[in-house]
Amino acid sequence: MLPWSLVFNAPGWLWLLALVPLLWWWSLRSLSGLGRGRKWLALGLRTLVLLAVILSLAEIRFHRTSEKLTVVYLLDQSLSIPDDTRRLMIRYVNEEIRQHRKAATQDNAGVIVFAREATIEHPPHAAEIRIPETIESRIETDATNLAGAIKLAQATLPEDSAGRIVIICDGNENLGDAREQARRLAEVGVGIDVVPIRYPARAEVAVEKLTIPTDVNSGQPFDIQVVLNNLSPAQKNQATRVPGKLKIVRKSGGREETLSEQEVNVAPGKQVFTVREEIKGADFYTYEAHFTPASKAQDNLSQNNQASAFTQVRGQGQVLLIEYINEETGATGGDYDYLIQRLKEENLQVTKRNTQELFTSLGELQPFDSVILANVPREAFTDEQISLLVRNTQQMGAGLIMLGGEHSFGAGGWANTELEEALPVEFQIRNAKVAPVGALAMVIDRSGSMMGNKLQMAIEATIATIDVLQPWDYVTVTSFDSFGYMVVPATKKGEKGHTIKRQIANIGSGGGTNMEPGIRLAYEELKKVKDAATRHMIILTDGQTEGAGYEQMIRAIRKDGITVSTIAMGADADSALLASLAVAGQGKFYQVNSYKALPRIFMQEARKISRPLIYENQSGLQPIRKYPHEMLKGIEGTLPPFTGYVRTTVKNHPLVEVSLVAPLPNDGDEKYNTLLASWNFGLGKAVAWTTDSGRKWANSWTQSADYDRFFSQMVRWSMRPAGDTGKFTVNTEVQEGKVRLVITALDKEDEFLNFLSMGGSVLGPDMKPRDLSIKQVAPGRYVAEFPASTSGNYFAMLAPGQGMAPIMAGVNVPYSPEFLDREPNEALLRELAQLPTTGSEPGTYINGAKLEDWLAVDTFRHNLAKAQSSQDIWPWVLFAGACLFFADVFNRRVALDWGWLGDQLRAGWLRLRGQTAELAPAVAMNRLKSRKAELRQELDERRAAVTLHPVNSAGGAANAPLPTGDLANLESPTGKSSGHPLVNRTGQGSPSPAPPQTTTEEPDDAMSRLLKAKKKVWEDRQL
């Protein structure tokens, strides 16, 4: 039996084959004028064209039956599978392929590994494959997604072979629905074999859950409940109790407090432990429960020994004010105590923290409806903390206020940070007339002692400094060991920031320590910058330098208007020398023991050339009103003067509202003189107040009766809306890696709130915001879902609609169920193996715990329905018919001299072989002579049929009609035209006919006469 055949999708059109005899009958009559060979060729071509059209209408297909079999092995790599069992799986697959794969039928074998997701380790291939003991694919192993593996296997199986999957798994799926995916696979004829993975029961205790109310009132007692589950097997028919310690802690505002720590003896099964708790202060609280076994042998996995939950106690008007602490003195000056006191008088609860007590998570910011940055520099914050501040406003709806001062906005190094995006002003000035040019030189020790973390941190600090500079500022970087090296010549930052950073990143280490050439190179570069208003040099080293006379060198540098600061890294640096150099250069000396402090120091030093961003006028500046904002409501008359502010650039955005500006200095550009600006940023609001709150520049404001009103209205405007206009409840549900939020909305009369334009966002443990799509599914009920594959706390901020207070909800996603399943799910695995397979027998449940037991079953057995594939070929048949139709037309319209064509082909073949084609010319000449004789005979016959008669005066024939048609152009024996001499070309008689003239002269030869006759015919036709 052939492995292929032809089939038709529309066989009804095959009745048209009855037209073939009719085509033959009609064609034999219509083609009778052709020669015998051309007639039968035309008939054959017409028949093939008709057949091509009929087969195309019937949609002919090429059908193939394959003997091949493809087996794909699905290997469970989740954490519930012990390491030794994983290695046994790989050995089994390698041996099974080696022993049972049938090369004769070109059977394919492939491997898919899976855990949380599935990936192809080896695509199906006809050659023998061998898997290494260590899986090459990188997958998350904290869950089991068997359904995903089956779905990927279905997509991997080729169409031209029968297919079988072999599932090697413990059956403990916790993502997807393996039954549904396997059922679809069996319905298309794919076989399913199962190798169940069994492992001995292991000692295990898990903290299954920690539950607390999600929203409690201050002073209201509540219970914390911890559920422990002892999964340890019984030993010798005796229940196994596991002793250990249970600890419950509470975290808030960066503080951690132990609420309970007790010895427990966990009996088999689940036990609930309760701790009574009462919260009196408004804050966001996270609770964690930890179980520590007395013996590690009684608890196999540590990933399930912890659970967490959180709750929030809301207060009225909670505000966080962050104040800069002077790290040299270790204390703040209380510069904002007056502002805090006045805000409290306005019934705002203000919590003050300095930059050494900053938040570490988004949850710590949630008790506060607004955050005030009170003259704090950028170097006091990490990039992560800046991101948290921005997300707290954009995604969680809290307010953000930045107060002016020498450490804020661009003067505080905040340019090019994520925080700049959140405020309504830009921290850079695009006009050099407003902010004079600065020049910064950094001299970096690259000696051998700087190798490793030291040099890496110095490079990172140098790179971070580039972002602090303004576009028109100059920067130069040099390095030194025993010699000096130019890393970055004096360059205006402009748009070259990325190029400068790449050059700095290429600094390598090696050699001795000699500061002199590195300092001299930097000095020469700074001297080239003639238009800089401020020039500053930073020198960093970790060792004892060679040479002498450094103080004299620095004094000479200082005379050129260049200040110098020095940094000593580690105890081996020459601190005394570096300190004296800083004094000579009128800069600052830093003794650094922690490399992590370098970025902060470099940015702090770089801000010295940014001080021109601060504009001061001791005679006083009068604020100018630009927009009657809500923050200025009730404040009438002239506003108090101020003496200074930080210059910024107002953003060109329709949401930005500039309420107050400063009087125009000499540059005359109002966009750089913003005093008070605000806008809506995401779900929150942000305010820029570029002068201070009365510490230095706005001291006269503290004497004004409107001081309390102005700053309290500024803070209240920025805060999250308070007081819900409706009743909202949020229920959360975690299932299969997703969190489902169900919001029920009621109004004050407990009627459903429908058709709300509800939106929101969610922040997970990775701090990446995700937009929420919230849809109404029933009266007053709204639903949103988002993926939550990582365990931890998720915060959702929901905006019910215009004028409604935002709703904050949170959910704790516990560790994966992978860490709870301790026994294989054989019921599921048996069900998968027993699924009826279309066209063949069900799969095999391969029992046994040893490799020999598994290998006893041939997974490459050919008992599945053979794979059948088909492909449309009617387009090609139709194309062939079109080509044959063209050949048919060509055959009927063009008469080929086959003898001459054969002679030419033969002559060409002889020439290709290097032989002389001697016969070709002779044959051609003979044919030409024969043709000439035929033409002569035809001309003679026509001439004999022509009789000349006299023509009357009117041009008519006297006795006989004149010759017509081509006869008028025939050649006479004399070689002249045979047209009648008495008749012109129009058939009119000539007024003076001439007697015919003939000649008996013959041409030299027959060929000449033939050529003359042809030439005369063409001349007459052209006339």
PDB file of all heavy atoms in Angstrom, residues 774-785:
ATOM      1  N   ILE A 774     -10.845  47.543  35.986  1.00  0.00           N
ATOM      2  CA  ILE A 774     -11.953  47.247  36.895  1.00  0.00           C
ATOM      3  C   ILE A 774     -13.253  47.299  36.106  1.00  0.00           C
ATOM      4  O   ILE A 774     -13.554  48.302  35.453  1.00  0.00           O
ATOM      5  CB  ILE A 774     -11.984  48.249  38.068  1.00  0.00           C
ATOM      6  CG1 ILE A 774     -10.619  48.274  38.765  1.00  0.00           C
ATOM      7  CG2 ILE A 774     -13.087  47.893  39.050  1.00  0.00           C
ATOM      8  CD1 ILE A 774     -10.510  49.306  39.858  1.00  0.00           C
ATOM      9  N   LYS A 775     -14.018  46.202  36.171  1.00  0.00           N
ATOM     10  CA  LYS A 775     -15.271  46.115  35.424  1.00  0.00           C
ATOM     11  C   LYS A 775     -16.430  45.835  36.370  1.00  0.00           C
ATOM     12  O   LYS A 775     -16.281  45.106  37.355  1.00  0.00           O
ATOM     13  CB  LYS A 775     -15.179  44.996  34.379  1.00  0.00           C
ATOM     14  CG  LYS A 775     -14.082  45.203  33.337  1.00  0.00           C
ATOM     15  CD  LYS A 775     -14.044  44.056  32.348  1.00  0.00           C
ATOM     16  CE  LYS A 775     -12.953  44.260  31.311  1.00  0.00           C
ATOM     17  NZ  LYS A 775     -12.900  43.131  30.340  1.00  0.00           N
ATOM     18  N   GLN A 776     -17.570  46.418  36.043  1.00  0.00           N
ATOM     19  CA  GLN A 776     -18.778  46.144  36.823  1.00  0.00           C
ATOM     20  C   GLN A 776     -19.403  44.850  36.316  1.00  0.00           C
ATOM     21  O   GLN A 776     -19.624  44.678  35.122  1.00  0.00           O
ATOM     22  CB  GLN A 776     -19.780  47.283  36.715  1.00  0.00           C
ATOM     23  CG  GLN A 776     -21.003  47.090  37.604  1.00  0.00           C
ATOM     24  CD  GLN A 776     -21.913  48.309  37.636  1.00  0.00           C
ATOM     25  OE1 GLN A 776     -21.665  49.287  36.954  1.00  0.00           O
ATOM     26  NE2 GLN A 776     -22.969  48.244  38.427  1.00  0.00           N
ATOM     27  N   VAL A 777     -19.683  43.919  37.254  1.00  0.00           N
ATOM     28  CA  VAL A 777     -20.220  42.612  36.879  1.00  0.00           C
ATOM     29  C   VAL A 777     -21.626  42.383  37.408  1.00  0.00           C
ATOM     30  O   VAL A 777     -22.298  41.443  36.999  1.00  0.00           O
ATOM     31  CB  VAL A 777     -19.293  41.490  37.385  1.00  0.00           C
ATOM     32  CG1 VAL A 777     -17.932  41.593  36.710  1.00  0.00           C
ATOM     33  CG2 VAL A 777     -19.146  41.531  38.897  1.00  0.00           C
ATOM     34  N   ALA A 778     -22.065  43.243  38.330  1.00  0.00           N
ATOM     35  CA  ALA A 778     -23.396  43.111  38.919  1.00  0.00           C
ATOM     36  C   ALA A 778     -23.743  44.457  39.551  1.00  0.00           C
ATOM     37  O   ALA A 778     -22.872  45.341  39.664  1.00  0.00           O
ATOM     38  CB  ALA A 778     -23.417  41.981  39.958  1.00  0.00           C
ATOM     39  N   PRO A 779     -24.989  44.652  39.960  1.00  0.00           N
ATOM     40  CA  PRO A 779     -25.327  45.916  40.617  1.00  0.00           C
ATOM     41  C   PRO A 779     -24.436  46.171  41.834  1.00  0.00           C
ATOM     42  O   PRO A 779     -24.374  45.380  42.766  1.00  0.00           O
ATOM     43  CB  PRO A 779     -26.791  45.710  41.028  1.00  0.00           C
ATOM     44  CG  PRO A 779     -27.315  44.713  40.051  1.00  0.00           C
ATOM     45  CD  PRO A 779     -26.172  43.795  39.760  1.00  0.00           C
ATOM     46  N   GLY A 780     -23.719  47.281  41.797  1.00  0.00           N
ATOM     47  CA  GLY A 780     -22.873  47.667  42.911  1.00  0.00           C
ATOM     48  C   GLY A 780     -21.635  46.810  43.100  1.00  0.00           C
ATOM     49  O   GLY A 780     -20.942  46.971  44.112  1.00  0.00           O
ATOM     50  N   ARG A 781     -21.316  45.927  42.159  1.00  0.00           N
ATOM     51  CA  ARG A 781     -20.169  45.029  42.324  1.00  0.00           C
ATOM     52  C   ARG A 781     -19.203  45.217  41.148  1.00  0.00           C
ATOM     53  O   ARG A 781     -19.590  45.154  39.990  1.00  0.00           O
ATOM     54  CB  ARG A 781     -20.622  43.581  42.411  1.00  0.00           C
ATOM     55  CG  ARG A 781     -19.464  42.580  42.536  1.00  0.00           C
ATOM     56  CD  ARG A 781     -19.945  41.210  42.924  1.00  0.00           C
ATOM     57  NE  ARG A 781     -20.512  41.221  44.280  1.00  0.00           N
ATOM     58  CZ  ARG A 781     -20.984  40.142  44.893  1.00  0.00           C
ATOM     59  NH1 ARG A 781     -20.968  38.980  44.274  1.00  0.00           N
ATOM     60  NH2 ARG A 781     -21.473  40.231  46.111  1.00  0.00           N
ATOM     61  N   TYR A 782     -17.947  45.383  41.524  1.00  0.00           N
ATOM     62  CA  TYR A 782     -16.885  45.610  40.548  1.00  0.00           C
ATOM     63  C   TYR A 782     -15.759  44.608  40.816  1.00  0.00           C
ATOM     64  O   TYR A 782     -15.485  44.278  41.969  1.00  0.00           O
ATOM     65  CB  TYR A 782     -16.353  47.040  40.640  1.00  0.00           C
ATOM     66  CG  TYR A 782     -17.423  48.091  40.441  1.00  0.00           C
ATOM     67  CD1 TYR A 782     -18.271  48.453  41.495  1.00  0.00           C
ATOM     68  CD2 TYR A 782     -17.595  48.708  39.214  1.00  0.00           C
ATOM     69  CE1 TYR A 782     -19.262  49.408  41.319  1.00  0.00           C
ATOM     70  CE2 TYR A 782     -18.586  49.663  39.026  1.00  0.00           C
ATOM     71  CZ  TYR A 782     -19.422  50.019  40.088  1.00  0.00           C
ATOM     72  OH  TYR A 782     -20.396  50.948  39.901  1.00  0.00           O
ATOM     73  N   VAL A 783     -15.120  44.151  39.738  1.00  0.00           N
ATOM     74  CA  VAL A 783     -14.112  43.091  39.865  1.00  0.00           C
ATOM     75  C   VAL A 783     -12.851  43.500  39.098  1.00  0.00           C
ATOM     76  O   VAL A 783     -12.918  44.069  38.011  1.00  0.00           O
ATOM     77  CB  VAL A 783     -14.641  41.742  39.328  1.00  0.00           C
ATOM     78  CG1 VAL A 783     -13.540  40.696  39.294  1.00  0.00           C
ATOM     79  CG2 VAL A 783     -15.799  41.258  40.178  1.00  0.00           C
ATOM     80  N   ALA A 784     -11.701  43.199  39.707  1.00  0.00           N
ATOM     81  CA  ALA A 784     -10.408  43.402  39.051  1.00  0.00           C
ATOM     82  C   ALA A 784      -9.512  42.213  39.368  1.00  0.00           C
ATOM     83  O   ALA A 784      -9.620  41.616  40.446  1.00  0.00           O
ATOM     84  CB  ALA A 784      -9.759  44.700  39.516  1.00  0.00           C
ATOM     85  N   GLU A 785      -8.652  41.863  38.430  1.00  0.00           N
ATOM     86  CA  GLU A 785      -7.699  40.766  38.619  1.00  0.00           C
ATOM     87  C   GLU A 785      -6.308  41.227  38.205  1.00  0.00           C
ATOM     88  O   GLU A 785      -6.161  42.038  37.294  1.00  0.00           O
ATOM     89  CB  GLU A 785      -8.088  39.542  37.779  1.00  0.00           C
ATOM     90  CG  GLU A 785      -9.116  38.648  38.408  1.00  0.00           C
ATOM     91  CD  GLU A 785      -9.299  37.349  37.642  1.00  0.00           C
ATOM     92  OE1 GLU A 785      -8.688  37.198  36.560  1.00  0.00           O
ATOM     93  OE2 GLU A 785     -10.035  36.475  38.134  1.00  0.00           O
TER      94      GLU A 785
END
